[in-house]
Amino acid sequence: MSGQWADRAYIGSFTSAGGRGITTASIDLESGALTELHHTETLLPDPSYLTVTEGPGGPGSPGGHLYAVSEREMGGAAAFSLTDRDRPEPLGELTPVRGGGPTHLTIAAGHLITANYGSGSISALPVRADGTLGSHVSVHQHTGDGPETQRQEGPHAHAVVPDPSGRWLLSVDLGTDSVWIYDLRDACPEGEPLPYAEVELRPGSGPRHLVFHPDGDHAYVINELASSVTVCSWDAATGALEAVSEKATVPDSAAPERNYPSALVVSRDGRFAWSANRGHDSISLFAVAASGDSIELTGTVPCGGHWPRDLALHPSGRWLYAANERSGDVTWFGIDQVTGTPHREGTIPVTAASCVVFG
């Protein structure tokens, strides 16, 4: 969602842990405050990650769609109409993705694409003109493992992210310590991702998510097992990703025995980045070089709860939202536009919260 006037938040949760499905909340555009409006309850099991496409009138207009994974052993994806933006209405039945434990999804090249953590694969489902999902599933299996045997015994795809040019799809795999690159260009006329390359990162780092710098020439990978961020150069002309440097997400003096960062976001002007830390229960602030090719940890603030599974920056750039899974809340922060420092402003209860998206 690109518009700064997005005034709805959609919050995923784990129904298996008591969550109420997808929560709709209004956003006060003066304060960033959330107010609960609706819950899908048990309509869709474990809608842990969501994405929104805007309506024909642009950001904040009715007629868009919401898509969700169902993070179960036999994973699925679902489409919802946002004709009524406060009450997402299901469009058809849950569609199997032929992959286990889908944790992330995106819309690219006319398809809904999921990252399947349990089976270590990505799946692509066609999105029809009316927003519904087709039943044909294209599955691409990752292979390999990593040195941390308890978590890296095999592939575990954790995120799927289109690059800014729309020519490529990058899939981050925690189990193989790599980023898999897929071609979305003319080589795949049906729009399905075509495997192109695998880029290896530091063994044992456990990459989880990826975000691009606004310049489109750099990407940042957050590493769950190493508690770090890898800065990469990106060439959209050739689909080439190269690791440049790696920085810790928490200071050595403050690091708990294990810290598992979950999410990373970058400011619209590219000056700052923030990561969520599970274990340290904090939000890290990074200063980003004007060139985009380096970052520096400048501080941390408490996340407002326990086990922040997701971090989302409002399109206006004014507020940051942390989905604190184990304390069961979403906490929002005002962003100092000069220093980038988040300041806690408020919270609402959301049991087993897992992600926040805007519409």
Side-chain angles (χ1 to χ4, degrees):
M1 178 67 63
S2 57
Q4 63 174 327
W5 302 117
D7 62 357
R8 293 292 183 272
Y10 301 97
I11 305 165
S13 70
F14 288 97
T15 57
S16 57
R20 299 184 65 183
I22 300 168
T23 296
T24 304
S26 63
I27 304 171
D28 185 313
L29 294 179
E30 293 300 320
S31 67
L34 299 179
T35 302
E36 292 182 9
L37 299 174
H38 181 259
H39 307 275
T40 60
E41 304 293 355
T42 58
L43 188 62
L44 177 68
D46 290 338
S48 66
Y49 208 87
L50 317 172
T51 191
V52 171
T53 61
E54 62 190 39
S61 68
H65 296 92
L66 182 148
Y67 298 92
V69 298
S70 177
E71 190 175 336
R72 292 292 179 95
E73 184 175 354
M74 299 299 291
F80 293 81
S81 167
L82 293 180
T83 298
D84 181 345
R85 296 167 58 234
D86 294 345
R87 301 177 64 89
E89 291 294 331
L91 294 173
E93 300 295 322
L94 178 68
T95 304
V97 299
R98 288 173 45 204
T103 60
H104 193 252
L105 81 167
T106 191
I107 303 294
H111 284 70
L112 181 150
I113 304 168
T114 64
N116 308 317
Y117 181 87
S119 55
S121 60
I122 72 166
S123 300
L125 295 164
V127 178
R128 301 187 182 107
D130 62 359
T132 59
L133 299 176
S135 59
H136 173 74
V137 187
S138 173
V139 179
H140 301 276
Q141 181 65 50
H142 294 178
T143 58
D145 54 25
E148 188 160 324
T149 55
Q150 288 189 332
R151 296 290 307 278
Q152 296 184 310
E153 79 294 341
H156 291 298
H158 216 306
V160 279
V161 182
D163 88 307
S165 76
R167 298 173 65 185
W168 309 95
L169 178 83
L170 284 70
S171 177
V172 183
D173 196 301
L174 186 148
T176 64
D177 289 319
S178 59
V179 178
W180 298 70
I181 300 173
Y182 290 84
D183 196 342
L184 295 177
R185 302 177 299 175
D186 294 338
C188 43
E190 298 302 318
E192 296 175 358
L194 180 70
Y196 177 79
E198 179 188 5
V199 178
E200 296 180 358
L201 300 181
R202 185 169 63 84
S205 56
R208 176 184 173 94
H209 274 239
L210 176 151
V211 63
F212 282 94
H213 186 276
D215 68 8
D217 295 328
H218 297 89
Y220 309 110
V221 180
I222 193 156
N223 302 305
E224 178 172 336
L225 302 184
S227 188
S228 65
V229 176
T230 300
V231 177
C232 301
S233 63
W234 170 249
D235 185 348
T238 61
L241 184 76
E242 182 179 358
V244 175
S245 63
E246 186 176 347
K247 293 295 176 70
T249 65
V250 293
D252 290 341
S253 60
E257 182 177 353
R258 291 306 300 264
N259 180 63
Y260 304 95
S262 60
L264 182 73
V265 293
V266 178
S267 64
R268 295 177 65 186
D269 60 11
R271 296 169 54 221
F272 305 109
W274 302 270
S275 71
N277 296 296
R278 297 172 299 174
H280 195 245
D281 281 345
S282 65
I283 297 172
S284 301
L285 169 62
F286 296 89
V288 180
S291 60
D293 60 2
S294 67
I295 63 173
E296 292 295 334
L297 177 66
T298 59
T300 64
V301 299
C303 68
H306 180 36
W307 211 253
R309 186 180 178 88
D310 191 36
L311 195 62
L313 181 66
H314 188 267
S316 67
R318 297 171 60 192
W319 307 294
L320 196 61
Y321 296 82
N324 295 314
E325 180 185 357
R326 294 186 180 175
S327 55
D329 62 80
V330 173
T331 297
W332 60 93
F333 300 78
I335 300 295
D336 186 307
Q337 299 299 299
V338 176
T339 66
T341 304
H343 298 279
R344 185 181 184 277
E345 299 288 349
T347 188
I348 61 168
V350 182
T351 302
S354 56
C355 86
V356 180
V357 298
F358 306 104

